[in-house]
Amino acid sequence: MATMRETYNVLLSAQKKRARGAPAYSIFVNRPVGRLLATLAFHLGWTPNQVTLVSALFTFTGIGLLAFAPLSVPLGVAIWLLLALGYAWDSADGQVARLRGGGSLAGEWLDHVVDAVKTSALHLAVLIGAYRWLGEVQPWLLVPIVFTIVANSTFFAMLLNDLLKQKRGVPTAIERGGSSTLRSLLVLPTDYGFLCLAFVTWGWFPVFQVVYALFALAAVLFWAAALVKWFRDMTAVDAALTSA
């Protein structure tokens, strides 16, 4: 049987292309950490679905603490670690699938469903935790509500983009590749892994309010620009197919 180093090198050589616009944390931090976790999981004999469930365990433990645990500085650090580890394990499940010869539709379905629940639950947990901390309804509570809408619709639109393009034989963002380092850095504020770092400030709630609101603003600006671009892309695909 291959050693862990040999398995790691296999993953490194078989690394999939970067999706166009993939943010920096996901590329330069989360994917390498996920590769290490995938190597470990493979040698433990775990299946991709088991890795997905481990990811969910870390993520939703952090989300639960965010919503219901007493607010403190150590808690914020713990939430960040749990969310970051959940994200890294989320990167590992696909890599384990590649080591085992390929994934399954059921596994891909499970992965996307967990991601969809996480996308909404994180910001709703912020809403609950913030209300418990503030003790009353305040205008700032609109921030996690807006963030929930934006994050959820962005996630849905990205999946729909790939689904519709694949249906019509058009290369997806991952198939096209070509994400530059500069582009990855520019979209860093929209990176889920980078957002996880904001929860380090959860114990300093006034600081967190500002940091989280800035992330929300970045998400809204990206969402608005991306929706316009994606609609134009779909219009262009329609035009190309009509003229073919």
Side-chain angles (χ1 to χ4, degrees):
M1 182 177 179
T3 65
M4 290 188 67
R5 179 178 291 276
E6 289 170 339
T7 301
Y8 180 87
N9 288 336
V10 168
L11 278 176
L12 187 62
S13 63
Q15 185 63 66
K16 67 181 180 180
K17 294 188 294 184
R18 302 176 187 175
R20 290 181 63 86
Y25 180 95
S26 294
I27 294 172
F28 301 114
V29 178
N30 200 61
R31 188 176 291 177
V33 175
R35 193 179 302 130
L36 288 171
L37 295 177
T39 301
L40 174 62
F42 179 75
H43 281 266
L44 289 174
W46 292 0
T47 66
N49 287 353
Q50 288 174 318
V51 174
T52 299
L53 293 176
V54 170
S55 169
L57 178 63
F58 277 104
T59 296
F60 292 112
T61 299
I63 289 173
L65 291 174
L66 183 61
F68 302 113
L71 188 140
S72 69
V73 173
L75 176 67
V77 175
I79 290 170
W80 162 59
L81 288 172
L82 287 165
L83 294 177
L85 282 170
Y87 191 39
W89 279 109
D90 184 38
S91 174
D93 56 8
Q95 300 188 62
V96 171
R98 284 194 290 279
L99 287 171
R100 294 169 63 95
S104 64
L105 286 178
E108 187 173 358
W109 179 90
L110 178 64
D111 185 40
H112 287 325
V113 168
V114 170
D115 285 344
V117 176
K118 172 187 73 178
T119 299
S120 297
L122 177 66
H123 302 294
L124 293 177
V126 171
L127 177 65
I128 295 169
Y131 176 74
R132 292 174 63 242
W133 172 250
L134 294 171
E136 60 181 355
V137 175
Q138 293 189 16
W140 188 88
L141 294 177
L142 290 172
V143 176
I145 294 174
V146 170
F147 215 154
T148 302
I149 296 168
V150 169
N152 193 280
S153 57
T154 300
F155 178 73
F156 174 79
M158 291 174 69
L159 290 181
L160 187 60
N161 288 346
D162 287 347
L163 178 66
L164 294 177
K165 287 180 178 179
Q166 288 171 347
K167 186 177 179 180
R168 288 159 177 78
V170 177
T172 65
I174 291 178
E175 292 168 340
R176 291 165 61 199
S179 179
S180 67
T181 299
L182 177 59
R183 184 171 184 168
S184 297
L185 290 171
L186 288 174
V187 295
L188 181 59
T190 67
D191 195 318
Y192 172 83
F194 194 50
L195 171 63
C196 293
L197 279 169
F199 294 98
V200 172
T201 66
W202 181 246
W204 297 284
F205 192 72
V207 176
F208 174 80
Q209 287 181 284
V210 174
V211 173
Y212 182 81
L214 290 174
F215 273 104
L217 176 61
V220 169
L221 294 175
F222 174 84
W223 173 75
L227 289 182
V228 172
K229 179 186 181 302
W230 293 335
F231 183 78
R232 288 175 176 171
D233 288 347
M234 294 302 160
T235 302
V237 170
D238 283 336
L241 292 174
T242 301
S243 62

